[in-house]
Amino acid sequence: MNKKTVAHPSRRQALQLGGVVLLLGVQHIARGATIVAVRVWPSKDYTRLTIESDGEIKAKQFFIAEPPRLAVDIEGLDLIPALRELVAKVKSDDPNISGIRVGQNAPGVVRLVIDLKQPMQPQVFTLRPVAAYKYRLVFDLYPAQTIDPLEALIAERLSDKDKPETANAGNDPLGDLMAQHANKPADKPSSNPSPSTSKPANSKVAAADKDKNPGAAPAKPPADVVATPEKNKTDRLVIVALDPGHGGEDPGAIGPGGTREKDVVLQIAHRLASRINQQPNMRAYLTRDADFFVPLHVRVQKARRVQADLFISIHADAFFTARPQGASVFALSEKGASSSAARWIADKENSADLVGGINVKAKDAQVQKALFDMSTTAQINDSLKLGSAMLGEIGNVGKLHKPRVEQASFAVLKAPDIPSVLVETAFISNPDEEARLRSEAYQVQLADALMRGIARYFSKNPPLARNRAL
Ligand SMILES: [Zn+2]
């Protein structure tokens, strides 16, 4: 490990501790690190604990199988209130962790015991300072028994068939609410505030927005032309993977009013998912359905595991100045970016793994790298068609930043066998667009536009029959 970058304050602190520490050399200066934050990100996929400190901290962990728990000794720390906060931060409905205990194991060594609800495969790793973060010690707790997402989709599908037609939007409250929206004509959005997982959409903003855009074409109800012309060709379930960008440790871009990209894109994805689920023979699959981080290659991997027919990554753009506005749609490029702006955005989105934090030593990252080298020429052609269909529809409800689909090397668009686009829905750095992104009315219009884009693409490029269980 490179210790040369240890910050000067640590060195000064070490000097104050006297000769003994100095003799130990720079490597041991970790002692005296202060915890600046602790965070817990629960999800069905995995639960992450993050301990953020102003200096590097070292940990040794032991996994105990019966009952399942992870014991971690953290060196160079004294038991301070910040660590006790971690105990309080574990929620009883966390799918993976039942509790955390902390104690001073020895002078300068704190022991954390993480009690687990099921056998786990923990990954423990450190991250160097990046973006707004200082040093991070990360515990990713993956259930040893993973759920096969395709099987979960089949199970959902089967349970849908037992239900009356109108009740097929899933059973989470947000999904139900959105299903109600989708049943209404989309140009009369409800003014009920959305009970969303993060910030409620501001209905006042929504109303103001509507007045401001009298010229915008009234959104038509989502078309269900999808299966009509090609019903005989494929009767199978068409799966659309929706990929809300960022999440968890990675907030994405943050608007001048504090709106986080990860929150609004998740809301938009949920709205689009409920529209997709109302189409005959279509089902949405979300690469994340809550506020947790999913590494870029895992997003691609998840979509491929469910054999998705399309992959749509949803983001909100940002710039250093407030002026830029409008939506853009991107496809992959094999031969370099279509503009320097496109390259810049791809670099920015590709850096999500640095901020979100991935364990670079994990094996599956290597496997995915090999996959990324496969040819994507055919995929790109289809992605450009999908992208223009979507861009055309978005242009009916909002401004466009670029009138044509742009291309660059986005890591998340690299599934060689799935047409994939990345939609920058609006500029969160523009105060007007930030307000629109938060507004229920605009989220509804956008979700309807994206649904129409998907439908239009499928009407011209019908999904092929495939040997699949669904
Ligand atoms: Zn983004």
Side-chain angles (χ1 to χ4, degrees):
M1 252 183 277
N2 177 13
K3 297 281 167 179
K4 278 179 196 148
T5 50
V6 167
H8 284 294
S10 322
R11 191 186 291 263
R12 215 176 300 128
Q13 281 163 5
L15 286 167
Q16 284 161 3
L17 288 172
V20 183
V21 177
L22 270 184
L23 284 176
L24 291 171
V26 204
Q27 274 179 342
H28 295 264
I29 285 177
R31 172 163 296 228
T34 307
I35 292 181
V36 294
V38 291
R39 292 179 288 272
V40 181
W41 305 104
S43 79
K44 272 179 260 144
D45 286 26
Y46 74 110
T47 292
R48 171 176 283 191
L49 305 180
T50 308
I51 299 173
E52 189 185 349
S53 58
D54 63 359
E56 212 160 351
I57 47 179
K58 277 192 195 160
K60 267 189 248 159
Q61 68 274 4
F62 326 86
F63 185 70
I64 303 126
E66 242 346 285
R69 61 200 191 275
L70 182 70
V72 189
D73 283 346
I74 305 173
E75 289 171 39
L77 270 189
D78 284 315
L79 193 53
I80 52 159
L83 263 186
R84 295 203 183 275
E85 266 179 48
L86 200 52
V87 177
K89 281 191 175 172
V90 176
K91 299 204 180 94
S92 58
D93 62 353
D94 187 306
N96 303 306
I97 298 181
S98 54
I100 297 182
R101 292 169 277 154
V102 292
Q104 191 84 49
N105 198 35
V109 181
V110 167
R111 174 164 288 185
L112 283 185
V113 179
I114 306 166
D115 293 310
L116 306 168
K117 287 186 175 168
Q118 49 182 319
M120 291 277 166
Q121 283 173 339
Q123 287 191 21
V124 182
F125 55 97
T126 55
L127 297 166
R128 302 192 65 79
V130 64
Y133 292 124
K134 296 183 173 164
Y135 292 87
R136 286 177 288 173
L137 175 62
V138 179
F139 303 86
D140 283 352
L141 302 158
Y142 290 90
Q145 205 100 55
T146 52
I147 312 154
D148 182 340
L150 189 55
E151 263 170 43
L153 271 183
I154 295 170
E156 249 185 81
R157 171 83 170 154
L158 291 176
S159 75
D160 276 1
K161 283 186 175 161
D162 298 337
K163 287 186 215 160
E165 270 300 287
T166 46
N168 66 347
N171 46 16
D172 66 308
L174 188 61
D176 283 347
L177 179 95
M178 285 167 179
Q180 289 160 22
H181 277 305
N183 285 336
K184 288 176 198 163
D187 54 350
K188 282 183 204 151
S190 151
S191 58
N192 293 340
S194 150
S196 68
T197 47
S198 42
K199 288 173 191 167
N202 185 336
S203 51
K204 257 190 205 158
V205 176
D209 251 13
K210 235 182 106 51
D211 295 342
K212 247 190 274 170
N213 292 286
K220 284 160 258 159
D224 56 4
V225 292
V226 188
T228 333
E230 300 300 332
K231 210 160 196 172
N232 299 331
K233 224 166 210 173
T234 175
D235 232 4
R236 70 171 172 84
L237 189 65
V238 171
I239 296 170
V240 180
L242 299 181
D243 176 52
H246 314 279
E249 291 274 288
D250 175 17
I254 297 174
T259 310
R260 298 179 302 187
E261 179 184 0
K262 67 171 181 178
D263 296 327
V264 287
V265 298
L266 182 61
Q267 290 165 1
I268 294 164
H270 272 300
R271 293 188 192 282
L272 179 54
S274 87
R275 278 150 184 75
I276 290 170
N277 290 343
Q278 289 193 340
Q279 305 294 315
N281 291 335
M282 254 205 209
R283 165 92 21 205
Y285 169 75
L286 276 87
T287 57
R288 73 172 176 99
D289 58 1
D291 187 12
F292 65 101
F293 180 71
V294 184
L296 297 174
H297 73 273
V298 175
R299 296 170 190 261
V300 179
Q301 214 169 52
K302 284 179 146 191
R304 295 191 81 229
R305 205 173 302 158
V306 297
Q307 301 171 35
D309 293 276
L310 298 180
F311 179 92
I312 298 164
S313 195
I314 303 172
H315 290 255
D317 218 336
F319 200 64
F320 304 111
T321 59
R323 197 167 333 139
Q325 55 180 336
S328 346
V329 177
F330 295 89
L332 185 65
S333 167
E334 275 187 321
K335 303 174 254 150
S338 55
S339 70
S340 56
R343 186 182 308 117
W344 186 77
I345 291 166
D347 287 347
K348 191 159 55 82
E349 297 296 3
N350 288 350
S351 70
D353 277 354
L354 290 175
V355 184
I358 58 165
N359 184 5
V360 287
K361 287 178 191 146
K363 256 188 285 163
D364 64 350
Q366 313 292 328
V367 176
Q368 200 63 23
K369 234 183 178 162
L371 180 77
F372 281 0
D373 292 335
M374 286 167 71
S375 169
T376 45
T377 314
Q379 186 260 63
I380 291 172
N381 283 338
D382 288 337
S383 304
L384 289 171
K385 290 178 197 161
L386 171 64
S388 353
M390 296 187 105
L391 209 51
E393 294 295 342
I394 300 170
N396 289 331
V397 300
K399 290 200 175 83
L400 294 182
H401 184 64
K402 286 279 163 66
R404 287 178 49 200
V405 181
E406 290 241 43
Q407 288 179 267
S409 188
F410 289 89
V412 88
L413 300 181
K414 289 189 178 176
D417 41 9
I418 310 173
S420 304
V421 293
L422 185 141
V423 182
E424 297 281 1
T425 47
F427 273 83
I428 203 168
S429 48
N430 175 298
D432 290 340
E433 294 207 334
E434 179 188 24
R436 299 193 88 193
L437 282 169
R438 292 174 63 106
S439 84
E440 189 181 2
Y442 187 63
Q443 288 187 2
V444 165
Q445 285 182 4
L446 197 59
D448 284 342
L450 295 174
M451 183 66 243
R452 287 194 303 271
I454 294 168
R456 204 206 282 185
Y457 170 80
F458 277 132
S459 69
K460 289 187 191 142
N461 309 275
L464 301 173
R466 217 190 253 179
N467 188 13
R468 185 159 67 191
L470 293 169

